[in-house]
Amino acid sequence: MKRFSKVMFRTSSLLLALVALQPAIFASVDDAQAFALQAAEPYVKQGFQVREDYWGGDLGSGEKKAVRQQLFKGNEYWFWLGTEVDKAKVSVHVYDSDGKLAEEPDGWEKGHFAAAHVIPKATGSYFIIVSVEESPEERTHWALVYGFR
Amino acid sequence: MIPFTRRLKLTVGVLCGLAVCAGAAQAPQRINIKQLSTTVEDVVVPLPNEIFGALNKLGAVNWKQHVRSDKGPNFTERPRIALLLGTVIADGFIAVQAEDAATVKEIGQRVLTLAKGIGVGNSITPHAKAIIEAADKRNWENVRRELDRTQNSVQQAMNEVHDEKLSQLVSLGGWLRGTEVLTSVVTKHFSSDGAELLHQPDLLSYFQTRLQAMPEFNLPIIRQIQDALVEVKPLIDVGDRRIPAESVKKVNEITIRLGHDIVTRD
Protein backbone atom coordinates (compact mmCIF):
# COMPACT_ATOMS: atom_id res chain seq x y z
CA MET A 1 0.00 0.00 0.00
CA LYS A 2 2.84 2.32 0.99
CA ARG A 3 4.55 1.46 -2.29
CA PHE A 4 1.35 2.20 -4.21
CA SER A 5 1.11 5.64 -2.54
CA LYS A 6 4.69 6.36 -3.45
CA VAL A 7 4.06 5.46 -7.10
CA MET A 8 0.90 7.56 -7.13
CA PHE A 9 2.76 10.51 -5.59
CA ARG A 10 5.56 10.29 -8.14
CA THR A 11 3.13 9.94 -11.05
CA SER A 12 1.08 12.91 -9.85
CA SER A 13 4.21 15.01 -9.39
CA LEU A 14 5.32 14.13 -12.90
CA LEU A 15 1.92 15.03 -14.33
CA LEU A 16 1.89 18.33 -12.40
CA ALA A 17 5.36 19.16 -13.69
CA LEU A 18 4.22 18.35 -17.23
CA VAL A 19 1.17 20.59 -16.87
CA ALA A 20 3.34 23.41 -15.52
CA LEU A 21 5.85 23.05 -18.34
CA GLN A 22 3.20 22.49 -21.01
CA PRO A 23 3.36 25.98 -22.57
CA ALA A 24 7.12 25.72 -22.95
CA ILE A 25 7.04 22.17 -24.32
CA PHE A 26 4.16 22.52 -26.74
CA ALA A 27 4.60 26.14 -27.80
CA SER A 28 5.10 26.26 -31.53
CA VAL A 29 5.18 28.41 -34.61
CA ASP A 30 1.42 27.77 -34.83
CA ASP A 31 0.98 29.64 -31.53
CA ALA A 32 3.07 32.49 -32.91
CA GLN A 33 0.84 32.46 -36.00
CA ALA A 34 -2.26 32.77 -33.81
CA PHE A 35 -0.78 35.97 -32.36
CA ALA A 36 0.16 37.29 -35.81
CA LEU A 37 -3.41 36.68 -37.04
CA GLN A 38 -4.75 38.37 -33.91
CA ALA A 39 -2.71 41.44 -34.80
CA ALA A 40 -4.18 41.35 -38.31
CA GLU A 41 -7.81 41.08 -37.16
CA PRO A 42 -8.59 44.82 -36.84
CA TYR A 43 -7.29 45.43 -40.36
CA VAL A 44 -9.64 42.92 -41.99
CA LYS A 45 -12.46 45.33 -41.12
CA GLN A 46 -10.58 47.96 -43.10
CA GLY A 47 -10.68 45.78 -46.22
CA PHE A 48 -7.35 44.00 -46.01
CA GLN A 49 -7.31 40.43 -47.35
CA VAL A 50 -5.06 38.39 -45.08
CA ARG A 51 -3.18 35.54 -46.77
CA GLU A 52 -3.76 32.07 -45.34
CA ASP A 53 -0.11 31.21 -45.77
CA TYR A 54 2.44 32.33 -43.23
CA TRP A 55 6.16 32.22 -42.65
CA GLY A 56 7.75 31.32 -39.36
CA GLY A 57 10.52 29.74 -37.39
CA ASP A 58 12.53 30.46 -34.30
CA LEU A 59 15.27 32.96 -33.59
CA GLY A 60 17.60 33.73 -30.70
CA SER A 61 17.74 37.20 -29.12
CA GLY A 62 19.30 39.69 -31.48
CA GLU A 63 18.87 37.42 -34.52
CA LYS A 64 17.17 38.50 -37.75
CA LYS A 65 15.57 36.74 -40.67
CA ALA A 66 14.66 38.17 -44.05
CA VAL A 67 11.69 37.11 -46.14
CA ARG A 68 11.84 38.19 -49.77
CA GLN A 69 8.54 39.20 -51.24
CA GLN A 70 7.13 40.47 -54.51
CA LEU A 71 5.01 43.58 -53.90
CA PHE A 72 2.87 45.37 -56.47
CA LYS A 73 2.60 49.13 -56.87
CA GLY A 74 -1.06 50.10 -56.43
CA ASN A 75 -1.63 47.67 -53.56
CA GLU A 76 -1.24 48.52 -49.91
CA TYR A 77 0.29 45.96 -47.53
CA TRP A 78 0.52 45.33 -43.82
CA PHE A 79 2.87 42.74 -42.36
CA TRP A 80 2.14 41.39 -38.90
CA LEU A 81 4.67 39.53 -36.80
CA GLY A 82 3.64 37.51 -33.75
CA THR A 83 5.31 35.48 -31.04
CA GLU A 84 3.82 33.47 -28.22
CA VAL A 85 6.68 34.29 -25.83
CA ASP A 86 5.73 36.66 -23.03
CA LYS A 87 8.07 39.61 -22.55
CA ALA A 88 9.77 39.01 -25.91
CA LYS A 89 10.34 42.11 -28.03
CA VAL A 90 9.98 41.53 -31.76
CA SER A 91 10.18 43.86 -34.75
CA VAL A 92 9.37 43.82 -38.45
CA HIS A 93 10.63 46.29 -41.05
CA VAL A 94 10.44 46.42 -44.84
CA TYR A 95 13.23 47.39 -47.24
CA ASP A 96 13.29 47.68 -51.01
CA SER A 97 15.71 45.75 -53.21
CA ASP A 98 18.34 48.50 -52.77
CA GLY A 99 18.17 48.12 -48.99
CA LYS A 100 16.28 51.39 -48.45
CA LEU A 101 13.62 51.49 -45.73
CA ALA A 102 10.32 51.29 -47.62
CA GLU A 103 7.69 51.36 -44.91
CA GLU A 104 5.21 54.00 -43.80
CA PRO A 105 5.83 55.66 -40.42
CA ASP A 106 2.77 54.09 -38.76
CA GLY A 107 4.33 50.68 -38.05
CA TRP A 108 4.15 49.57 -34.43
CA GLU A 109 5.59 47.16 -31.88
CA LYS A 110 3.94 46.01 -28.71
CA GLY A 111 4.36 42.90 -26.60
CA HIS A 112 3.69 39.81 -28.67
CA PHE A 113 3.23 41.81 -31.86
CA ALA A 114 4.91 44.07 -34.39
CA ALA A 115 3.56 45.46 -37.65
CA ALA A 116 4.86 47.28 -40.73
CA HIS A 117 2.84 49.15 -43.35
CA VAL A 118 3.98 49.43 -46.98
CA ILE A 119 2.57 51.32 -49.94
CA PRO A 120 5.06 50.27 -52.63
CA LYS A 121 6.43 53.05 -54.80
CA ALA A 122 7.50 50.47 -57.38
CA THR A 123 6.61 46.88 -58.27
CA GLY A 124 9.40 44.50 -57.38
CA SER A 125 11.16 42.54 -54.66
CA TYR A 126 11.14 43.74 -51.08
CA PHE A 127 12.79 42.34 -47.97
CA ILE A 128 10.75 41.85 -44.84
CA ILE A 129 13.18 41.78 -41.92
CA VAL A 130 11.89 40.08 -38.80
CA SER A 131 13.89 40.28 -35.62
CA VAL A 132 13.73 39.08 -32.03
CA GLU A 133 15.20 42.08 -30.23
CA GLU A 134 14.95 40.63 -26.71
CA SER A 135 13.51 37.47 -25.24
CA PRO A 136 13.60 35.54 -21.97
CA GLU A 137 13.73 32.31 -24.03
CA GLU A 138 16.79 30.89 -25.73
CA ARG A 139 14.81 30.46 -28.98
CA THR A 140 11.70 32.46 -29.76
CA HIS A 141 9.06 31.33 -32.23
CA TRP A 142 7.91 33.89 -34.73
CA ALA A 143 5.29 33.94 -37.46
CA LEU A 144 4.71 36.51 -40.16
CA VAL A 145 1.43 37.02 -41.98
CA TYR A 146 0.50 39.73 -44.41
CA GLY A 147 -2.54 41.33 -45.91
CA PHE A 148 -3.21 43.57 -48.88
CA ARG A 149 -5.93 45.73 -50.32
CA MET B 1 -7.77 27.52 -30.91
CA ILE B 2 -7.32 30.47 -28.53
CA PRO B 3 -9.83 30.64 -25.65
CA PHE B 4 -12.18 33.61 -25.67
CA THR B 5 -10.59 35.34 -22.64
CA ARG B 6 -7.18 35.04 -24.23
CA ARG B 7 -8.56 36.36 -27.52
CA LEU B 8 -10.06 39.28 -25.63
CA LYS B 9 -6.74 39.99 -23.95
CA LEU B 10 -4.95 39.72 -27.27
CA THR B 11 -7.41 42.06 -28.96
CA VAL B 12 -6.99 44.60 -26.16
CA GLY B 13 -3.22 44.17 -26.52
CA VAL B 14 -3.38 44.82 -30.25
CA LEU B 15 -5.59 47.85 -29.82
CA CYS B 16 -3.23 49.21 -27.14
CA GLY B 17 -0.40 48.53 -29.56
CA LEU B 18 -2.15 50.58 -32.18
CA ALA B 19 -3.17 53.36 -29.83
CA VAL B 20 -0.16 53.70 -27.54
CA CYS B 21 2.71 52.58 -29.66
CA ALA B 22 1.91 54.31 -32.92
CA GLY B 23 5.64 54.53 -33.57
CA ALA B 24 7.92 51.52 -33.74
CA ALA B 25 11.53 51.60 -32.59
CA GLN B 26 13.69 53.46 -35.08
CA ALA B 27 14.73 51.16 -37.91
CA PRO B 28 17.89 51.91 -39.92
CA GLN B 29 17.10 53.91 -43.05
CA ARG B 30 19.31 51.65 -45.13
CA ILE B 31 20.66 48.11 -44.79
CA ASN B 32 23.10 46.04 -46.82
CA ILE B 33 20.90 43.48 -48.55
CA LYS B 34 23.92 41.39 -49.55
CA GLN B 35 24.71 40.73 -45.89
CA LEU B 36 21.31 39.09 -45.55
CA SER B 37 22.05 36.47 -48.17
CA THR B 38 22.49 33.64 -45.66
CA THR B 39 19.25 34.34 -43.84
CA VAL B 40 16.85 35.05 -46.70
CA GLU B 41 13.80 32.84 -46.98
CA ASP B 42 12.51 31.80 -50.38
CA VAL B 43 10.63 34.44 -52.27
CA VAL B 44 6.95 34.52 -51.37
CA VAL B 45 4.72 33.69 -54.35
CA PRO B 46 1.82 36.15 -54.55
CA LEU B 47 -1.73 34.99 -55.07
CA PRO B 48 -3.21 35.83 -58.49
CA ASN B 49 -5.72 38.16 -56.86
CA GLU B 50 -2.90 40.33 -55.50
CA ILE B 51 -1.98 41.13 -59.09
CA PHE B 52 -5.62 41.44 -60.13
CA GLY B 53 -6.24 43.89 -57.27
CA ALA B 54 -3.38 46.11 -58.46
CA LEU B 55 -4.69 45.85 -62.05
CA ASN B 56 -8.18 46.91 -60.98
CA LYS B 57 -6.77 50.12 -59.52
CA LEU B 58 -5.40 51.11 -62.93
CA GLY B 59 -8.85 51.16 -64.51
CA ALA B 60 -11.93 49.05 -65.06
CA VAL B 61 -11.10 45.57 -66.32
CA ASN B 62 -13.64 43.46 -68.18
CA TRP B 63 -13.02 40.32 -66.13
CA LYS B 64 -15.82 38.43 -67.91
CA GLN B 65 -13.59 38.31 -71.00
CA HIS B 66 -11.01 36.33 -69.06
CA VAL B 67 -13.31 33.82 -67.36
CA ARG B 68 -12.50 30.25 -68.34
CA SER B 69 -14.46 27.24 -67.18
CA ASP B 70 -13.76 24.47 -69.69
CA LYS B 71 -13.09 21.27 -67.81
CA GLY B 72 -10.16 20.10 -69.88
CA PRO B 73 -8.77 16.58 -69.91
CA ASN B 74 -8.09 14.40 -66.89
CA PHE B 75 -4.37 13.86 -66.55
CA THR B 76 -2.76 10.93 -64.78
CA GLU B 77 0.71 12.47 -64.32
CA ARG B 78 0.81 14.17 -60.91
CA PRO B 79 3.02 17.11 -62.03
CA ARG B 80 0.52 17.89 -64.79
CA ILE B 81 -2.38 17.72 -62.35
CA ALA B 82 -0.52 20.04 -59.94
CA LEU B 83 0.15 22.62 -62.68
CA LEU B 84 -3.46 22.44 -63.84
CA LEU B 85 -4.73 22.77 -60.27
CA GLY B 86 -2.77 26.00 -59.88
CA THR B 87 -4.27 27.42 -63.08
CA VAL B 88 -7.79 26.35 -62.09
CA ILE B 89 -7.47 28.09 -58.69
CA ALA B 90 -6.29 31.20 -60.56
CA ASP B 91 -9.36 30.82 -62.82
CA GLY B 92 -11.42 30.82 -59.64
CA PHE B 93 -9.99 34.20 -58.65
CA ILE B 94 -10.77 35.51 -62.15
CA ALA B 95 -14.37 34.26 -61.92
CA VAL B 96 -14.66 36.04 -58.56
CA GLN B 97 -13.44 39.28 -60.15
CA ALA B 98 -16.11 38.76 -62.83
CA GLU B 99 -18.69 37.87 -60.11
CA ASP B 100 -19.62 34.80 -62.15
CA ALA B 101 -21.26 32.47 -59.62
CA ALA B 102 -21.92 29.60 -62.03
CA THR B 103 -18.28 29.41 -63.10
CA VAL B 104 -17.04 29.70 -59.51
CA LYS B 105 -19.20 26.69 -58.59
CA GLU B 106 -17.86 24.66 -61.52
CA ILE B 107 -14.34 25.59 -60.51
CA GLY B 108 -15.04 24.48 -56.93
CA GLN B 109 -15.94 21.03 -58.26
CA ARG B 110 -13.00 20.94 -60.63
CA VAL B 111 -10.55 21.84 -57.85
CA LEU B 112 -11.88 18.95 -55.78
CA THR B 113 -11.50 16.48 -58.65
CA LEU B 114 -7.94 17.59 -59.34
CA ALA B 115 -7.01 17.53 -55.65
CA LYS B 116 -8.27 13.95 -55.46
CA GLY B 117 -6.12 13.16 -58.48
CA ILE B 118 -2.99 14.02 -56.52
CA GLY B 119 -4.18 12.40 -53.31
CA VAL B 120 -5.10 15.49 -51.28
CA GLY B 121 -8.85 15.47 -51.86
CA ASN B 122 -9.73 15.01 -48.18
CA SER B 123 -8.18 18.30 -47.12
CA ILE B 124 -9.96 20.15 -49.95
CA THR B 125 -13.51 18.84 -49.61
CA PRO B 126 -14.62 21.38 -46.95
CA HIS B 127 -13.12 24.27 -48.93
CA ALA B 128 -14.75 23.13 -52.19
CA LYS B 129 -18.11 23.02 -50.39
CA ALA B 130 -17.50 26.44 -48.86
CA ILE B 131 -16.61 27.87 -52.31
CA ILE B 132 -19.85 26.55 -53.79
CA GLU B 133 -21.96 27.79 -50.85
CA ALA B 134 -20.36 31.24 -50.89
CA ALA B 135 -20.83 31.47 -54.69
CA ASP B 136 -24.52 30.62 -54.23
CA LYS B 137 -24.79 33.53 -51.81
CA ARG B 138 -22.61 35.71 -54.05
CA ASN B 139 -20.38 36.33 -51.07
CA TRP B 140 -17.25 37.08 -53.08
CA GLU B 141 -15.08 37.87 -50.09
CA ASN B 142 -15.70 34.38 -48.71
CA VAL B 143 -15.06 32.78 -52.10
CA ARG B 144 -11.71 34.59 -52.30
CA ARG B 145 -10.81 33.47 -48.79
CA GLU B 146 -11.75 29.86 -49.55
CA LEU B 147 -9.75 29.84 -52.77
CA ASP B 148 -6.74 31.04 -50.78
CA ARG B 149 -7.42 28.36 -48.15
CA THR B 150 -7.76 25.75 -50.89
CA GLN B 151 -4.36 26.56 -52.33
CA ASN B 152 -2.84 26.68 -48.85
CA SER B 153 -4.39 23.37 -47.79
CA VAL B 154 -3.34 21.63 -51.01
CA GLN B 155 0.21 22.82 -50.55
CA GLN B 156 0.33 21.98 -46.85
CA ALA B 157 -1.01 18.48 -47.54
CA MET B 158 1.64 18.01 -50.24
CA ASN B 159 4.42 19.31 -48.02
CA GLU B 160 3.36 16.94 -45.24
CA VAL B 161 3.96 13.98 -47.54
CA HIS B 162 7.18 15.57 -48.86
CA ASP B 163 5.66 16.45 -52.22
CA GLU B 164 7.06 19.99 -52.05
CA LYS B 165 7.86 19.92 -55.75
CA LEU B 166 4.23 19.33 -56.67
CA SER B 167 3.30 22.12 -54.29
CA GLN B 168 5.67 24.44 -56.18
CA LEU B 169 4.04 23.42 -59.47
CA VAL B 170 0.65 24.48 -58.07
CA SER B 171 2.13 27.94 -57.36
CA LEU B 172 3.75 28.02 -60.81
CA GLY B 173 0.49 27.12 -62.56
CA GLY B 174 -1.29 29.95 -60.74
CA TRP B 175 1.48 32.43 -61.49
CA LEU B 176 1.48 31.56 -65.21
CA ARG B 177 -2.28 31.96 -65.50
CA GLY B 178 -2.14 35.22 -63.53
CA THR B 179 0.62 36.50 -65.80
CA GLU B 180 -1.36 35.49 -68.89
CA VAL B 181 -4.34 37.54 -67.76
CA LEU B 182 -2.21 40.45 -66.57
CA THR B 183 -0.47 40.71 -69.94
CA SER B 184 -3.76 40.31 -71.84
CA VAL B 185 -5.28 43.24 -69.95
CA VAL B 186 -2.19 45.43 -70.29
CA THR B 187 -1.74 44.58 -73.98
CA LYS B 188 -5.31 45.75 -74.70
CA HIS B 189 -4.97 48.97 -72.70
CA PHE B 190 -1.28 49.68 -72.40
CA SER B 191 0.06 51.81 -69.57
CA SER B 192 3.52 51.98 -68.02
CA ASP B 193 2.05 51.33 -64.57
CA GLY B 194 0.28 48.25 -65.87
CA ALA B 195 3.45 46.97 -67.54
CA GLU B 196 5.39 47.60 -64.33
CA LEU B 197 3.28 44.92 -62.60
CA LEU B 198 5.28 42.44 -64.69
CA HIS B 199 8.49 43.47 -62.97
CA GLN B 200 8.92 40.19 -61.06
CA PRO B 201 12.46 38.98 -61.89
CA ASP B 202 13.15 37.35 -58.51
CA LEU B 203 9.94 35.40 -58.69
CA LEU B 204 10.83 34.19 -62.16
CA SER B 205 14.33 33.17 -60.99
CA TYR B 206 12.74 31.35 -58.06
CA PHE B 207 10.59 29.27 -60.44
CA GLN B 208 13.55 28.60 -62.73
CA THR B 209 15.59 27.28 -59.81
CA ARG B 210 12.74 25.12 -58.61
CA LEU B 211 12.16 23.64 -62.08
CA GLN B 212 15.85 22.84 -62.43
CA ALA B 213 15.56 20.79 -59.25
CA MET B 214 12.82 18.59 -60.76
CA PRO B 215 14.74 16.33 -63.19
CA GLU B 216 12.46 13.44 -62.23
CA PHE B 217 9.50 15.26 -63.80
CA ASN B 218 10.64 14.48 -67.30
CA LEU B 219 7.60 15.82 -69.12
CA PRO B 220 7.40 17.97 -72.26
CA ILE B 221 5.30 20.60 -70.46
CA ILE B 222 7.98 21.11 -67.80
CA ARG B 223 10.65 21.58 -70.48
CA GLN B 224 8.36 23.97 -72.38
CA ILE B 225 7.88 26.07 -69.25
CA GLN B 226 11.63 26.10 -68.57
CA ASP B 227 12.34 27.30 -72.11
CA ALA B 228 9.57 29.88 -71.89
CA LEU B 229 10.92 31.33 -68.64
CA VAL B 230 14.30 31.81 -70.32
CA GLU B 231 12.49 33.80 -73.03
CA VAL B 232 10.48 35.85 -70.54
CA LYS B 233 13.32 36.77 -68.18
CA PRO B 234 15.05 39.48 -70.29
CA LEU B 235 11.65 40.99 -71.12
CA ILE B 236 10.77 41.69 -67.48
CA ASP B 237 14.18 41.96 -65.81
CA VAL B 238 14.81 45.53 -66.93
CA GLY B 239 16.11 47.13 -63.75
CA ASP B 240 14.93 50.72 -63.44
CA ARG B 241 13.85 50.95 -67.09
CA ARG B 242 10.21 50.73 -68.17
CA ILE B 243 8.79 47.57 -69.70
CA PRO B 244 7.67 48.47 -73.25
CA ALA B 245 4.37 47.44 -74.89
CA GLU B 246 6.17 45.00 -77.22
CA SER B 247 7.59 43.09 -74.24
CA VAL B 248 4.16 42.85 -72.61
CA LYS B 249 2.74 41.52 -75.87
CA LYS B 250 5.55 39.00 -76.19
CA VAL B 251 5.06 37.74 -72.61
CA ASN B 252 1.36 37.49 -73.34
CA GLU B 253 1.98 35.31 -76.41
CA ILE B 254 4.32 33.06 -74.44
CA THR B 255 1.96 32.63 -71.48
CA ILE B 256 -1.07 32.03 -73.74
CA ARG B 257 0.91 29.28 -75.46
CA LEU B 258 1.91 27.74 -72.11
CA GLY B 259 -1.63 28.07 -70.76
CA HIS B 260 -2.89 26.13 -73.75
CA ASP B 261 -0.23 23.45 -73.27
CA ILE B 262 -1.02 23.09 -69.57
CA VAL B 263 -4.70 22.34 -70.19
CA THR B 264 -4.16 20.21 -73.30
CA ARG B 265 -3.07 16.60 -73.46
CA ASP B 266 0.33 16.07 -75.20
Side-chain angles (χ1 to χ4, degrees):
Chain A
M1 191 66 186
K2 209 173 171 185
R3 201 170 160 195
F4 175 74
S5 310
K6 251 184 183 174
V7 170
M8 278 300 284
F9 176 74
R10 279 182 190 160
T11 311
S12 314
S13 306
L14 190 65
L15 279 171
L16 272 172
L18 269 174
V19 168
L21 287 171
Q22 192 230 358
I25 293 171
F26 297 109
S28 68
V29 175
D30 287 345
D31 296 319
Q33 187 212 6
F35 278 94
L37 287 173
Q38 191 71 33
E41 231 173 62
Y43 296 83
V44 174
K45 294 181 187 102
Q46 297 171 31
F48 282 89
Q49 296 176 47
V50 179
R51 278 283 297 265
E52 284 295 315
D53 214 351
Y54 71 96
W55 295 265
D58 59 73
L59 288 168
S61 288
E63 285 183 351
K64 290 182 196 312
K65 187 91 180 170
V67 177
R68 194 163 38 162
Q69 178 142 0
Q70 172 74 40
L71 300 184
F72 297 94
K73 185 180 166 184
N75 285 347
E76 181 183 356
Y77 298 85
W78 270 98
F79 293 87
W80 301 282
L81 179 66
T83 179
E84 85 287 3
V85 177
D86 285 329
K87 293 179 183 160
K89 190 169 178 284
V90 292
S91 71
V92 56
H93 295 291
V94 182
Y95 291 84
D96 67 16
S97 54
D98 295 326
K100 199 175 153 208
L101 190 67
E103 66 198 32
E104 299 298 303
D106 54 352
W108 52 271
E109 292 164 10
K110 172 77 176 175
H112 295 264
F113 319 99
H117 182 201
V118 188
I119 303 171
K121 293 194 172 46
T123 294
S125 272
Y126 288 76
F127 290 87
I128 323 304
I129 312 292
V130 301
S131 174
V132 174
E133 311 276 349
E134 294 166 19
S135 176
E137 303 286 340
E138 197 176 325
R139 305 294 297 174
T140 299
H141 291 119
W142 61 273
L144 178 74
V145 298
Y146 79 96
F148 61 94
R149 71 174 179 187
Chain B
M1 195 70 179
I2 304 176
F4 174 74
T5 47
R6 202 170 163 211
R7 282 178 76 89
L8 193 67
K9 271 159 76 180
L10 288 173
T11 307
V12 170
V14 171
L15 291 174
C16 288
L18 287 168
V20 180
C21 299
Q26 200 71 36
Q29 288 299 308
R30 195 171 271 280
I31 59 167
N32 186 349
I33 292 297
K34 283 176 191 150
Q35 282 179 349
L36 293 171
S37 56
T38 54
T39 57
V40 175
E41 293 269 305
D42 276 339
V43 67
V44 175
V45 181
L47 283 177
N49 65 326
E50 269 182 72
I51 304 167
F52 300 158
L55 255 184
N56 264 341
K57 285 166 197 131
L58 295 173
V61 177
N62 183 358
W63 290 104
K64 286 188 168 55
Q65 280 184 344
H66 304 283
V67 169
R68 190 173 68 176
S69 62
D70 45 326
K71 284 189 176 168
N74 289 321
F75 296 115
T76 49
E77 305 100 327
R78 300 177 83 224
R80 293 218 62 166
I81 299 172
L83 272 172
L84 185 56
L85 181 55
T87 64
V88 171
I89 293 172
D91 280 327
F93 283 114
I94 295 163
V96 170
Q97 295 286 350
E99 302 193 344
D100 182 337
T103 302
V104 168
K105 284 159 72 176
E106 278 173 33
I107 285 170
Q109 280 299 338
R110 181 80 175 129
V111 162
L112 185 56
T113 307
L114 291 169
K116 282 178 182 165
I118 42 176
V120 293
N122 285 346
S123 55
I124 299 312
T125 306
H127 300 308
K129 277 185 184 163
I131 288 171
I132 292 164
E133 280 171 20
D136 267 333
K137 292 175 187 158
R138 303 178 68 81
N139 185 338
W140 306 117
E141 204 44 62
N142 280 3
V143 178
R144 265 191 209 104
R145 193 177 309 126
E146 288 301 331
L147 284 167
D148 185 5
R149 283 181 181 160
T150 300
Q151 177 153 336
N152 195 39
S153 296
V154 163
Q155 294 186 297
Q156 269 188 3
M158 286 172 178
N159 293 344
E160 276 163 20
V161 293
H162 304 292
D163 268 341
E164 287 90 351
K165 291 177 181 178
L166 288 182
S167 168
Q168 289 152 8
L169 288 178
V170 173
S171 295
L172 176 59
W175 181 77
L176 286 170
R177 177 69 179 135
T179 306
E180 180 187 337
V181 172
L182 163 64
T183 50
S184 291
V185 172
V186 178
T187 298
K188 275 181 194 143
H189 305 283
F190 182 81
S191 71
S192 294
D193 281 345
E196 195 191 323
L197 295 174
L198 265 181
H199 187 243
Q200 306 173 33
D202 286 343
L203 207 48
L204 195 138
S205 300
Y206 163 81
F207 285 126
Q208 284 184 310
T209 310
R210 291 293 171 271
L211 286 171
Q212 278 162 12
M214 299 178 189
E216 66 273 37
F217 296 160
N218 187 19
L219 297 167
I221 186 67
I222 300 291
R223 290 192 293 276
Q224 285 157 14
I225 295 173
Q226 281 179 309
D227 293 344
L229 294 185
V230 171
E231 272 185 88
V232 170
K233 184 124 196 224
L235 302 171
I236 65 168
D237 194 359
V238 294
D240 292 334
R241 286 176 288 125
R242 288 175 184 271
I243 297 174
E246 310 84 72
S247 295
V248 178
K249 191 166 182 288
K250 183 76 185 148
V251 176
N252 184 236
E253 287 163 5
I254 293 168
T255 49
I256 285 175
R257 193 179 72 221
L258 285 180
H260 175 265
D261 294 344
I262 286 171
V263 300
T264 310
R265 202 179 287 280
D266 293 325

